Every structure is written in structure tokens, then in C-alpha cells.
Amino acid sequence: EVQLLESGGALVQPGGSLRLSCAASGFIFSNYAMTWVRQAPGKGLEWVSVISGNGDSIFYTESVRGRFTISRDNSENTLYLQLNSLGADDTAVYYCTRDWQSGGSSYGSLYWGQGTLVTVSS
Amino acid sequence: QTVVTQEPSFSVSPGGTVTLTCALSSGSVSTENYPTWYQQTPGQAPRTLFYNTNIRSSGVPYRFSGSILGNKAALTITGAQADDESDYYCLLYVGAGIWVFGGGTKLTVL
């Protein structure tokens, strides 16, 4: 059974940093692209970033490029998202997702974790 | 900046049929955009309904179908039930490694 468990969400001050983690199990982690998606309170889903299975290919949505860094440790079956220079509009539940198809590129998210809440406030 | 547009809200009667659509500001949606559909109820993580346009995720009832209709991706519910009342989101690949969600459709069944 595919399982994705996010952690690391917290209350952080504006301008602060945080690292989110996603522990994966139930599949060969290195075979799949992984994606972070976020959802601000009462708002829609926003695609944030994707990393290929071997970590060589990485993409970000414009609003986080230069502030967020996605990475993965395939030996530990863990996905990360480093969040820097946080602002109020980064407040959201952050979801970790796994692609439906194995391979280098992303073809769309199939499996979702339960999410971790990041709150940016003074 | 590519925008993905969905109907903000839709209403359907129990037993009725409804088609939600997903449009791309830069042109027509095709299978190369790998349309993906999600259902979300309040307080829950999204649930994948369809990926790669029309591949049904495990456990999704057959009253749901995914397709390309004209120049848009479409999610059709035939014989809507009360527990289909949810928010529905589409996700499209827009090129250069980037994906974009639509704003979501709030479906009411009444």
C-alpha cells in the first residue's frame, strides 16, 4: 500500500524558514517523480514543485522559485521541501504526492498524503 | 502565465448528469496536457478520480468519466448522487515541466 506521510509544518514568523518532509513507503521510491501541492485556507489547490525520480529534473511554480527548494533522499525514501523567506501568502496545507507512472518525468499526481500545515504569522 | 479555468460552481439534481470542464488560456486542451481530475471534500486530502485524461483511479464509481470534449478536458457525472457534492479540481501539464491547477468547481447536488 502506498503511504505518504508529511511532517514539519509549524507556525513560523514572516521571513522565516522551514523544512517539510514526506516519508514514503509501499513502492520503489526512486522510480517515481514526486510533487508538492499546497492549499491556502479556504482556497484551491496550487501546484508548487516537482522532482524526478533520480532528482536530476526539478521545476517550480513562479511564486516560489528562488525561495523554495525541493529535494529527495532515495536511500531514505524521503521527499523534502525547504521553504525560505516565508510570507503570509505561503500559509497553507502542503501535500506530498506521487506520480501515477514510474519513469523520469511527471505525468500527474495519483497518490496524496494527508498534508502538513504551515502558518506564517507574527 | 498560463491560466486553467473551471466553472466556479455547478448544480445538479440527484440522478442528473453534469459535465465539468477545464480550459487552457493558451489554447486547446489535448491528451498531451495529461488532464487529471481530483475530488475534495472539506477537511480531507484530495482524491484522484482520473489521470492521463480518462484512466479511472481505483474505487472510482463508473458514473464518473473523464474525456476531452472539444477544446477542453471534461469530467462527467451520470446519475449524480448526494455524496458527489464536493469540490472538483483539474490539473494540466502546460509545458516546460510546469503543471497548473484549475480554480476548482464547487458541485452542489440538490
Side-chain angles (χ1 to χ4, degrees):
Chain A
E1 179 192 4
V2 172
Q3 292 194 346
L4 302 170
L5 184 61
E6 303 93 336
S7 61
L11 172 63
V12 59
Q13 293 191 338
S17 297
L18 207 57
R19 189 176 83 158
L20 307 182
S21 300
C22 171
S25 62
F27 62 100
I28 301 174
F29 184 66
S30 60
N31 282 0
Y32 291 88
M34 300 292 293
T35 298
W36 287 99
V37 174
R38 69 182 179 180
Q39 186 170 34
K43 303 297 185 182
L45 300 172
E46 181 182 20
W47 183 91
V48 174
S49 180
V50 64
I51 185 169
S52 61
N54 63 8
D56 285 354
S57 185
I58 288 173
F59 300 97
Y60 301 96
T61 191
E62 183 63 36
S63 62
V64 309
R65 195 171 295 134
R67 300 189 300 122
F68 290 8
T69 302
I70 192 171
S71 62
R72 63 192 298 159
D73 184 338
N74 286 346
S75 67
E76 295 290 334
N77 293 343
T78 303
L79 175 71
Y80 300 101
L81 187 67
Q82 177 70 38
L83 292 66
N84 296 332
S85 303
L86 286 163
D89 54 2
D90 295 314
T91 293
V93 174
Y94 285 74
Y95 294 101
C96 159
T97 77
R98 196 209 87 176
D99 248 55
W100 64 270
Q101 179 164 285
S102 63
S105 301
S106 176
Y107 296 94
S109 296
L110 173 57
Y111 295 99
W112 294 69
Q114 285 304 303
T116 188
L117 176 62
V118 173
T119 303
V120 183
S121 175
S122 55
Chain B
Q1 181 90 4
T2 302
V3 176
V4 176
T5 300
Q6 298 181 245
E7 299 87 358
S9 63
F10 231 120
S11 183
V12 62
S13 300
T17 297
V18 63
T19 296
L20 312 183
T21 67
C22 178
L24 202 49
S25 62
S26 56
S28 296
V29 176
S30 75
T31 56
E32 299 300 311
N33 298 114
Y34 302 101
T36 311
W37 288 93
Y38 303 97
Q39 179 190 49
Q40 188 181 35
T41 53
Q44 299 296 314
R47 168 198 186 193
T48 305
L49 296 177
F50 291 91
Y51 52 94
N52 201 21
T53 305
N54 57 10
I55 301 178
R56 181 178 283 101
S57 184
S58 177
V60 174
Y62 284 93
R63 64 179 181 274
F64 290 88
S65 61
S67 65
I68 301 286
L69 283 182
N71 61 351
K72 300 179 183 180
L75 175 70
T76 301
I77 308 173
T78 304
Q81 298 184 3
D83 61 1
D84 296 336
E85 189 162 290
S86 300
D87 294 325
Y88 293 86
Y89 295 92
C90 66
L91 174 65
L92 298 178
Y93 178 67
V94 298
I98 304 299
W99 294 75
V100 179
F101 278 99
T105 297
K106 183 176 184 63
L107 181 68
T108 301
V109 181
L110 54 71

